[in-house]
Amino acid sequence: DPDARPSSPDTMDDEFDGSTLASKWTLYRPDSNSPFNAPVCDSTQSLIRLGARGDYTSAGNDPTWSGIAQTAPSGDWAFRCKVHCPTPLQIGGSGFEIPEMLAGLLLTLSDGSIIGFAAQGGFSAGYESAIRAERWTTPTNFGSEIRRASFNMPLPAPLYLEVRKQGSKLTFRFSLDNLSWSFGYQWRYDLGSTSVNAVGLGARYNASNSRANLAEPPVAYFDWFRRVA
């Protein structure tokens, strides 16, 4: 069973099988004016729902990350998550409108920047889905895309994502089954003198160039979060 629970879980692990969020988590940039941005635990299905931050009816409005995080351990480590990243559902509209939903692992860094390693659900087959790593220089200012693997097809769901830290190097990789891992898409990134303050789960949403008119706020689902090294 690729989702079998570890026999000796780490204290940072979470299977999200409770009715409330465990106290070890800290909310990252919650938006009190948008209830869907708050994490919701579903004990009947053992998962957590994270809504993407931003106004889901307006293009490019505050398309920043929100989520939950824990203090990162010292030394070397690796974390995985199982995520379902849906394609945002659009109604009406015309022209060049590309809403996108990203959801996955979230790192906050000592210099105030953040890194997201995520599955990206595109609007349609005309807009690629992807696995994507990106760094924001501040929580509200996009810096650069680290790497992207694009697919001209709907995003497979669920996906398993992993981030591994060894010294100052981060390695990102993904899997469709939590058994075979994407060594062909294994990306490395050097943090330099920057350290990782916190690690967790996050999501973000934005649309391009035009009003998105989404039928509902975009929400990602996470089955679990585990330390694997």
Side-chain angles (χ1 to χ4, degrees):
D1 178 5
D3 290 314
R5 300 188 181 194
S7 56
S8 299
D10 189 86
T11 56
M12 296 185 71
D13 291 5
D14 203 328
E15 304 296 329
F16 302 117
D17 51 3
S19 58
T20 59
L21 187 66
S23 59
K24 59 189 172 184
W25 292 104
T26 299
L27 295 182
Y28 178 74
R29 301 195 73 234
D31 186 346
S32 60
N33 295 320
S34 300
F36 64 82
N37 282 330
V40 177
C41 294
D42 188 335
S43 58
T44 61
Q45 300 185 62
S46 295
L47 55 81
I48 189 171
R49 300 194 293 273
L50 287 183
R53 183 179 170 84
D55 180 353
Y56 68 94
T57 63
S58 298
N61 186 0
D62 198 18
T64 56
W65 287 88
S66 60
I68 56 176
Q70 300 183 53
T71 301
S74 59
D76 296 340
W77 43 256
F79 289 93
R80 290 178 185 171
C81 72
K82 180 181 179 181
V83 59
H84 307 251
C85 181
T87 297
L89 205 44
Q90 188 181 37
I91 54 175
S94 61
F96 184 64
E97 300 176 355
I98 306 174
E100 64 183 20
M101 171 80 175
L102 284 85
L105 294 163
L106 179 68
L107 308 179
T108 67
L109 307 183
S110 59
D111 63 356
S113 63
I114 60 175
I115 289 179
F117 176 48
Q120 174 183 307
F123 166 57
S124 68
Y127 181 63
E128 63 197 16
S129 59
I131 308 297
R132 179 170 169 174
E134 60 184 30
R135 184 168 183 171
W136 290 57
T137 54
T138 71
T140 56
N141 290 287
F142 178 75
S144 61
E145 185 173 80
I146 297 172
R147 288 289 298 272
R148 175 201 294 253
S150 302
F151 312 97
N152 190 21
M153 63 180 190
L155 190 70
L159 279 171
Y160 301 84
L161 302 176
E162 179 189 279
V163 60
R164 183 175 296 266
K165 178 181 174 293
Q166 293 177 296
S168 65
K169 305 278 195 308
L170 295 178
T171 301
F172 307 96
R173 59 182 190 157
F174 67 91
S175 172
L176 300 179
D177 57 11
N178 201 30
L179 298 172
S180 300
W181 287 84
S182 58
F183 289 100
Y185 287 111
Q186 182 169 268
W187 307 328
R188 292 183 173 88
Y189 184 73
D190 194 340
L191 290 168
S193 60
T194 308
S195 58
V196 179
N197 285 347
V199 59
L201 304 173
R204 79 168 181 86
Y205 161 77
N206 74 291
S208 298
N209 296 350
S210 179
R211 189 171 177 81
N213 293 323
L214 293 186
E216 58 187 21
V219 177
Y221 301 83
F222 293 87
D223 290 67
W224 45 257
F225 173 87
R226 296 172 185 165
R227 184 176 181 179
V228 295

